[in-house]
Amino acid sequence: MTVPAIELKGISKSFGPVQANKDISISVAPGTIHGIIGENGAGKSTLMSILYGFYKADKGEIWINGKKTEIPDSQAAIAAGIGMVFQHFKLVENFTVLENIILGAEDGGLLKPSLAKARRTLAELAAEYELNVDPDAVIEEIGVGMQQRVEILKALYRQAEILILDEPTGVLTPAEADQLFRILHRLKDEGKTIILITHKLREIMEATDTVSVMRRGEMTATVKTAETSPEHLAELMVGRKVLLRVDKVPAKPGKPILEIENLRVTDDKGVERVKGIDLTVRAGEIMGIAGVAGNGQSELLEVLGGMRPGSGAIRLNGAPLPLSGPGSDARARRAAHVAHVPEDRQREGLIMEFHAWENVAFGYHHDPAYQSGIFMNNAALRADTDRKIEKFDVRPADGWLAAKNFSGGNQQKIVVAREIERNPDLLLVGQPTRGVDIGAIEFIHKQIVALRDQGKAVLLVSVELEEIFGLADRIAVMFDGHIMGERLPDETDEKELGLLMAGVNGEAA
Amino acid sequence: MDKMPKWADVVLIPLISLILAAILSALVILGIGEDPVAAVNMMVSGALGSTYGWGYTLYYATNFMFTGLAVAVAFHARLFNIGGEGQAMLGGLGVAMICLYIPWPHWTMALLAACAASMLFGAVWAAIPAYLQARRGSHIVITTIMFNFIAAALLNYMLVNVMRPDGSMDPASERFPAAVHLPTLHELLAPIGISFSKAAPANVSLLVAVLACVVVWALIWRTRLGYEIRAYGHSESGALYAGISPFKITMVAMLISGALAGLMATNNVMGEAERLVLNSTEGAGFIGIAVALMGRSHPFGVFLAAILFGFLYQGGAELALWTNIPRELIVVIQALVILFTGALDNMVRMPLEKVFLALRKGKA
């Protein structure tokens, strides 16, 4: 038996009353890709932060290459040969690739020798691992896939033998993700050890040799990837059997509910983000908008939800809705029976400091049922909240709790309950399951499908292709503010959508 | 999970902050060679030891309630209204015009009209910075501060050139007619057999201030407007999502805030001075910030904090009068209280949160 590259022994860490890691032990063999999977809040990130020296474990030991190692800060982690690629890149946008790579690892006060040395090393690394990047390109001008490669190179430049990647595919197109996995395999073949943190079962199955499952701060299992299945892993993550595919009957599309013509939207900085799109969503169907984050989907939702002005024309049930000026705000949209589950529930969908019952009125606080004379009828509101909490199985079932004290999944359930229970003609949904645990995902998906089956129109924006495929009856792909094409889920695959998401038009190619 | 029980947040933290401020104040008094114990005795007996003392304490507290509420309402919309001073000055102008230029048969009608006028003048003075913030993005802290100076200059002009009686050298308006004299606590309490100091300035507008506390509480926590103000204060993007107009909330919150600050004039101009003088506000607009901070922007908290600062004001005045402790040092003591209760809140809060977490862990 070889000496493990990393061995964690009985790591425990708590934040106040919350135990984030409970007696966790894993052992990762050198030259392997080890996956760590778990729901949000399962403690994956905490564990990796301990390994990288951001947090100090309350208890437990870290052994690197058979040596007990103290890692009080990230400098010590780097010295121990650990490199980390964060979910949100830590690059200086207006620096070149080379400048970013030496940042914090300069050899002296003068930059020139460092840069020259880095240039040589980079060429060697590129040759060794097929990690090609232009050293003189400026970060803000290269794509996210390339930026991620710079992050990996940064770690390798610091002589990392162990590479930790935290949710690396969140911002990548499927093609870019495949490329990343090829790079990871190459690194593995050269003897590097890789830890891949993700909540996507597909990636675990594709990329890893062994996988550890975390649930509520505990390591529930470590298995060889070849000997397991996605269903089994999901069960280990959630603690019960879950339905990975959404159960739904074929859609019966009716008359058009939402018609969009030549819609253009400009963001706060004056950049045009939606560049003249046409789209129709019919009654009884879920229209899925796929695309890599930042290609105009958010702005599209915001305009439809009345949070931002636009130009062009939208019609709801045949009647035009104003896109700017009076009658274009979110209140008017709600009055027109458009409900909106926003992309960012913490910044938009909820007031985190408000009680759950106050949040149930959020956006609908003009509802006559919630008024009593000049005051708000808080008793009626609380009764309504209790009903919704029960129906949507929000836990803990306590309307007096502040929104911030619910888990992500239960926060989202509150938002979804509020919006769906209004029985809207059109439901706008943005990233409905981002940061939501698998159990709640299943429930939220069911609610959306149920609304569709009542003959309502749903516009779904998601960066998770799995979710798009699972829910949508039609798929439109957005890239750079344009709709690249519409497909039926049965007649397309991830590869084709991936190309569209990258801006490659199938017909033209 | 909240880190601390609510009572600790509301009672314990201000209390510890106060004690710390008191200790530091005691050290300062010791440092100039005076006896801190005697000083405390002097302050307590001077501010609370007689109905005369109480009358002054409550008079100051009334001012601070109005300005504290003004700052608190704006705080709920995450607007920092530093212009309470100027808004209160303008309120004074409104009250003076009502009292001087309209003959009133009875003080009750005059008070109602004065309330309306002071609120209107204060609100108008707050409306300009509010509009500049909401439409042009000019920072409300900067504009409200500047409007304090403009208010002072305007008042100066009005008193020197317009309202000064002919032949008078004093930049002040004429005395208000006797018909608009507001009953003092002495006059109010005498019929029910309680004898209260005749000389103390506390008057019926204390009741207006208490009423204002109740109204603000209902407004913020019981009405739809209050709901929108709080939602906007917590998250502007959330407000946009919910169809709450940031422009409307910024304007309305500042109008209410300015009106409350303006209302202070019923106490200091109509109730006490009975004429409009320069600098009638005596910094109460700024004390309101500390009062709102210490009262956690809650009307009940503002009520208590206003009484505390009323005590510090009156006790401090007594101290300056009867001891060798200079007037400036009183300001230092008041500043220490503001520093500890307002600015250094986290210094007390964070260790205390740790203590409570440790206690909870010990129990679990």
Side-chain angles (χ1 to χ4, degrees), chain B residues 226-255:
Chain B
Y227 180 91
E228 292 190 330
I229 288 176
R230 285 184 295 133
Y232 172 75
H234 283 302
S235 165
E236 185 170 350
S237 50
L240 224 48
Y241 161 78
I244 298 167
S245 155
F247 175 75
K248 181 189 132 187
I249 297 301
T250 303
M251 289 304 293
V252 171
M254 279 304 285
L255 287 174

Side-chain angles (χ1 to χ4, degrees), chain A residues 16-17 307 330-331 334 340 342 347-348 351 353-354 358 361-363 365-366 371 375-376 378 405 418-419, chain B residues 1-2 218 221-224 227-228 230-232 234-235 237-244 248 357 360-361:
Chain A
M307 296 170 66
R331 188 181 162 192
R334 287 189 178 81
H340 183 188
R347 286 185 60 244
E348 294 163 0
I351 297 292
E353 290 81 4
F354 274 14
E358 287 176 299
F362 196 47
H365 50 280
H366 290 276
Q371 320 295 322
F375 296 117
M376 288 195 69
N378 290 345
N405 293 334
R418 178 182 73 209
E419 300 301 322
Chain B
M1 205 63 158
D2 285 328
W221 275 283
R222 286 294 178 272
T223 69
R224 194 171 63 213
Y227 180 91
E228 292 190 330
R230 285 184 295 133
Y232 172 75
H234 283 302
S235 165
S237 50
L240 224 48
Y241 161 78
I244 298 167
K248 181 189 132 187
L357 281 177
R360 196 175 301 167
K361 219 195 268 178

Side-chain angles (χ1 to χ4, degrees), chain A residues 19-42:
Chain A
Q19 182 124 36
N21 285 161
K22 236 178 283 177
D23 193 24
I24 289 182
S25 300
I26 51 170
S27 154
V28 180
T32 62
I33 301 182
H34 188 101
I36 294 183
I37 194 164
E39 297 183 292
N40 282 285

Side-chain angles (χ1 to χ4, degrees), chain A residues 157-458:
Chain A
Y157 183 75
R158 288 158 177 74
Q159 276 141 19
E161 288 300 314
I162 299 160
L163 206 57
I164 306 169
L165 294 105
D166 188 7
E167 302 279 0
T169 59
V171 289
L172 302 183
T173 65
E176 286 172 323
D178 285 342
Q179 219 165 6
L180 171 71
F181 290 137
R182 274 204 301 279
I183 292 171
L184 293 186
H185 278 289
R186 178 78 193 217
L187 288 168
K188 179 182 103 167
D189 293 341
E190 299 292 331
K192 307 277 184 198
T193 308
I194 292 157
I195 297 184
L196 177 68
I197 304 168
T198 179
H199 67 277
K200 292 181 188 166
L201 292 165
R202 193 180 68 97
E203 292 171 5
I204 290 287
M205 298 308 292
E206 265 176 30
T208 64
D209 301 307
T210 48
V211 53
S212 296
V213 184
M214 288 191 72
R215 170 156 45 102
R216 287 187 199 155
E218 288 179 84
M219 195 65 91
T220 50
T222 298
V223 290
K224 285 212 172 354
T225 311
E227 293 164 9
T228 185
S229 67
E231 288 76 16
H232 182 57
L233 285 178
E235 201 183 323
L236 286 171
M237 277 165 72
V238 185
R240 63 180 170 85
K241 281 216 183 306
V242 284
L243 216 55
L244 286 179
R245 290 301 287 191
V246 185
D247 232 359
K248 59 175 183 139
V249 295
K252 297 183 213 61
K255 63 180 173 67
I257 297 283
L258 173 70
E259 294 162 278
I260 302 176
E261 267 174 36
N262 191 28
L263 179 67
R264 290 173 184 277
V265 187
T266 310
D267 71 7
D268 298 334
K269 291 183 191 138
V271 180
E272 192 172 56
R273 301 308 297 267
V274 176
K275 301 172 179 172
I277 66 170
D278 301 289
L279 196 71
T280 302
V281 188
R282 292 172 180 283
E285 73 167 357
I286 299 174
M287 171 58 121
I289 308 275
V292 180
N295 277 288
Q297 308 98 308
S298 308
E299 287 77 10
L300 171 65
L301 273 188
E302 285 172 4
V303 158
L304 295 176
M307 296 170 66
R308 180 184 285 289
S311 68
I314 52 173
R315 280 188 298 279
L316 193 78
N317 288 318
L321 286 183
L323 282 167
S324 60
S328 71
D329 69 348
R331 188 181 162 192
R333 290 287 194 273
R334 287 189 178 81
H337 304 288
V338 178
H340 183 188
V341 176
E343 288 190 311
D344 189 337
R345 66 180 161 269
Q346 305 203 338
R347 286 185 60 244
E348 294 163 0
L350 295 167
I351 297 292
M352 299 306 277
E353 290 81 4
F354 274 14
H355 303 295
W357 63 265
E358 287 176 299
N359 272 303
V360 163
F362 196 47
Y364 299 97
H365 50 280
H366 290 276
D367 186 338
Y370 297 151
Q371 320 295 322
S372 131
I374 59 165
F375 296 117
M376 288 195 69
N377 191 344
N378 290 345
L381 181 48
R382 283 195 283 268
D384 189 34
T385 303
D386 288 342
R387 214 172 42 71
K388 283 174 176 142
I389 282 181
E390 196 193 328
K391 189 167 174 194
F392 281 75
D393 190 27
V394 177
R395 282 181 238 180
D398 179 359
W400 280 96
L401 223 51
K404 63 180 176 195
N405 293 334
F406 287 93
S407 70
N410 284 299
Q411 286 172 357
Q412 190 72 327
K413 278 185 188 172
I414 294 173
V415 177
V416 169
R418 178 182 73 209
E419 300 301 322
I420 284 188
E421 286 292 285
R422 288 279 148 182
N423 200 20
D425 290 343
L426 170 67
L427 178 67
L428 309 169
V429 197
Q431 321 295 353
T433 53
R434 176 185 283 168
V436 168
D437 41 88
I438 290 198
I441 289 179
E442 193 187 353
F443 184 85
I444 289 168
H445 282 172
K446 263 189 201 157
Q447 299 300 325
I448 294 173
V449 171
L451 190 74
R452 176 202 77 162
D453 291 344
Q454 289 168 34
K456 309 295 186 176
V458 178

